[in-house]
Amino acid sequence: MGTRTVRDATRELLRNLGLTTVFGNPGTTEIAFLTEWPDDFTYVLGLQESAVVAMADGYAQATRRPVLVNLHSAGGVGHSLGHVFTAYRNRAPLIVLAGQQTRSLMPDEPFLGAVEAANFPKPYVKWSIEPARAADVPAAIAHAYHVATQAPQGPVFVSVPVDDWDAEATMPLPTGHRVSGFAPDPDALADLAAALDGAQRPALVVGASVDGDGAVPDVVALAEKLGAGVWAAPMSSRCSFPEDHALFLGFLQPERRAVAEALREHDLVVVLGAPAFTYHVYRGEPEIPLPPLYLVSDDDQVLARAGNGIGIRSTPKLAIRALVEKVVPGARQVPARPDAPGKPVEATPISPDFAYSVVADLLPDNAIVVEETPSHRNCLHDHLPITATDTGFLTVASGTLGYGLPAAVGAALGRPDRKVVAVLGDGSSMYCVQALWTAAREHAPVTFVVLDNAQYAAVRILGESAGGTKVPGTDLGGIDFARLAESMGCPARTVEQAADLRPALAAALQENGPSLLHVRVDPNPQPLY
């Protein structure tokens, strides 16, 4: 019997941890890890490292499971960092495993070597290491798994020199299991329950971590028992309350005065699984104070920024379920939700509102919507209500463009039982358009709808609202997304007339694998917030 190598031990560990699906883009420093690839492992190839990380992020979020990402030394890790930042903001449990040059060459700063590899992705990984000895590699990966999957979840990084994989495995194989969530302090929870019972007009503000913890049905039960209105947190990257529910009040905007105005009718606000609050623009301090506020989060840094709010540390589901048991049922007057906008007009040029309304009409039951249309977010809110209570919606928490297209591929690979519909801007799509090749190669069940307004409209809108004039670098146009998709094996069609949109989307949704619809929309931008 031959020597048991670090590679052998690591593969056994990965099987034990359920990490046999690997997203990657390999280089020479990864060959020793990849050689004689096991038949029970799946390697999902992406054509650029940033797309690879975003695909893995979508996969991890849709499945609520950690995933291994395989990158190439300094150059590959460097390409990936924009979406490592996104994975950190998305709280995606990615174990990023990167190659490194041979240990004996490192004193001479070799070609392809990563100087201070473990520091390279910081601060946007929860933990990072290059093991001191080859024999420590499996233990380092097991440690990374535990850190990545403990709340708050997030990416971790392990750099492995190429010669480590063939070294003898001399250490015992680590065992591993995911650490469960943690409950709130009983006294703090009792205080919150009493505050809710005494409130006449309480509001719940729900963020991405509620859906991330699978707690949407629980927060629905809490809202209904209280008779409390529910707001979506500013810039939330997931849907954590069904948007067709009678208690859903709408979306808080990422601006201080707008948040204060929206919440002014409430006498108590409880923020669940979100910061209080995420802002994007500054237009001065609000003239009215926020109501008394409680903040329930599993993230000590979020709690540290609670300001005058009262923080309670807990993973969302355990806190929400405990509150459902403790609070007294109430028949409260919920503030009126603004009237829903009317049905958009079918006219050419196609308006983003109309495009979203058609998607809403044709969206399959239990579909996952992945969105990255920064200049049309209000159109999404107005015309495409998300109703699924299990990962019904994913978008980018960091604001780093290029997430939506590859994340949709990853989500489709993770949940092949559900149709994935990705609604994307033209500018956003071009950052990681290579992921269309992976979608075609893997026959992923995803429909891409690219809304092409021929510009970086969000930059233009926010720039003009801040007083900018003649800002360069915002005009696009002339990109043929249908031909791009077809060149990578993905069926596609361009739509310019409003009357053609519905039948074209219906046909695209019937495809068993991926398809793309290139929709030319009105280039006149609308206000964001």
Side-chain angles (χ1 to χ4, degrees), residues 215-232:
V216 176
D218 303 290
V219 82
V220 170
L222 177 62
E224 291 176 347
K225 189 172 183 180
L226 289 169
V230 180
W231 293 91

Side-chain angles (χ1 to χ4, degrees), residues 101-187:
Q101 258 292 7
T102 305
R103 286 183 184 269
S104 61
L105 294 180
M106 290 310 296
D108 298 320
E109 198 169 323
F111 189 66
L112 296 176
V115 177
E116 297 188 26
N119 287 329
F120 196 11
K122 291 179 180 179
Y124 296 113
V125 289
K126 289 183 65 181
W127 185 72
S128 182
I129 192 173
E130 185 171 275
R133 303 176 302 170
D136 296 330
V137 169
I141 293 172
H143 187 116
Y145 171 88
H146 283 293
V147 174
T149 56
Q150 288 185 51
Q153 296 187 125
V156 292
F157 179 78
V158 181
S159 171
V160 180
V162 66
D163 48 334
D164 283 9
W165 297 110
D166 289 314
E168 183 178 1
T170 59
M171 305 297 290
L173 187 69
T175 58
H177 62 277
R178 293 183 68 171
V179 176
S180 57
F182 47 88
D185 176 80
D187 292 339

Side-chain angles (χ1 to χ4, degrees), residues 206-281:
V206 294
S209 296
V210 172
D211 184 49
D213 204 23
V216 176
D218 303 290
V219 82
V220 170
L222 177 62
E224 291 176 347
K225 189 172 183 180
L226 289 169
V230 180
W231 293 91
M235 310 299 284
S236 182
S237 60
R238 301 176 75 133
C239 172
S240 291
F241 198 83
E243 294 169 15
D244 60 345
H245 195 287
L247 292 174
F248 183 67
L249 297 178
F251 303 86
L252 296 180
Q253 297 294 330
E255 192 272 326
R256 293 182 189 276
R257 291 190 295 184
V259 168
E261 180 62 30
L263 298 177
R264 69 183 303 169
E265 295 185 48
H266 301 287
D267 58 355
L268 180 69
V269 173
V270 181
V271 181
L272 302 168
F277 294 96
T278 298
Y279 299 113
H280 188 205
V281 294

Side-chain angles (χ1 to χ4, degrees), residues 224-479:
E224 291 176 347
K225 189 172 183 180
L226 289 169
V230 180
W231 293 91
M235 310 299 284
S236 182
S237 60
R238 301 176 75 133
C239 172
S240 291
F241 198 83
E243 294 169 15
D244 60 345
H245 195 287
L247 292 174
F248 183 67
L249 297 178
F251 303 86
L252 296 180
Q253 297 294 330
E255 192 272 326
R256 293 182 189 276
R257 291 190 295 184
V259 168
E261 180 62 30
L263 298 177
R264 69 183 303 169
E265 295 185 48
H266 301 287
D267 58 355
L268 180 69
V269 173
V270 181
V271 181
L272 302 168
F277 294 96
T278 298
Y279 299 113
H280 188 205
V281 294
Y282 180 75
R283 295 179 181 142
E285 295 300 317
E287 297 177 357
I288 53 175
L290 288 170
L293 184 145
Y294 280 80
L295 176 61
V296 179
S297 176
D298 55 22
D299 190 332
D300 56 353
Q301 295 301 311
V302 167
L303 293 170
R305 297 192 295 269
N308 294 327
I310 298 173
I312 299 177
R313 192 163 186 262
S314 173
T315 48
K317 183 182 291 187
L318 292 175
I320 295 166
R321 286 184 173 178
L323 282 172
V324 172
E325 294 297 319
K326 283 186 173 294
V327 297
V328 176
R332 295 176 170 88
Q333 184 69 35
V334 178
R337 182 178 177 179
D339 293 335
K343 198 74 171 176
V345 175
E346 180 182 305
T348 301
I350 299 169
S351 71
D353 289 305
F354 178 70
Y356 266 117
S357 72
V358 172
V359 173
D361 289 345
L362 299 179
L363 191 69
D365 291 339
N366 204 33
I368 298 174
V369 175
V370 181
E371 179 267 348
E372 193 178 5
T373 58
S375 57
H376 304 319
R377 182 66 63 85
N378 290 334
C379 306
L380 163 76
H381 291 165
D382 288 344
H383 299 292
L384 179 54
I386 306 299
T387 60
T389 57
D390 172 16
T391 318
F393 176 75
L394 295 174
T395 191
V396 57
S398 71
T400 303
L401 293 181
Y403 171 78
L405 195 155
V409 178
L413 294 177
R415 299 295 298 270
D417 56 312
R418 299 171 67 178
K419 191 72 173 182
V420 175
V421 177
V423 188
L424 313 163
D426 52 329
S428 303
S429 298
M430 287 304 298
Y431 281 83
C432 285
V433 73
Q434 305 95 328
L436 291 173
W437 181 89
T438 304
R441 178 187 176 95
E442 300 291 338
H443 208 63
V446 55
T447 301
F448 304 97
V449 181
V450 178
L451 304 183
D452 181 3
N453 60 14
Q455 60 191 302
Y456 289 131
V459 177
R460 175 181 165 188
I461 296 166
L462 292 175
E464 290 176 353
S465 68
T469 59
K470 292 184 66 180
V471 178
T474 61
D475 293 329
L476 304 176
I479 301 171

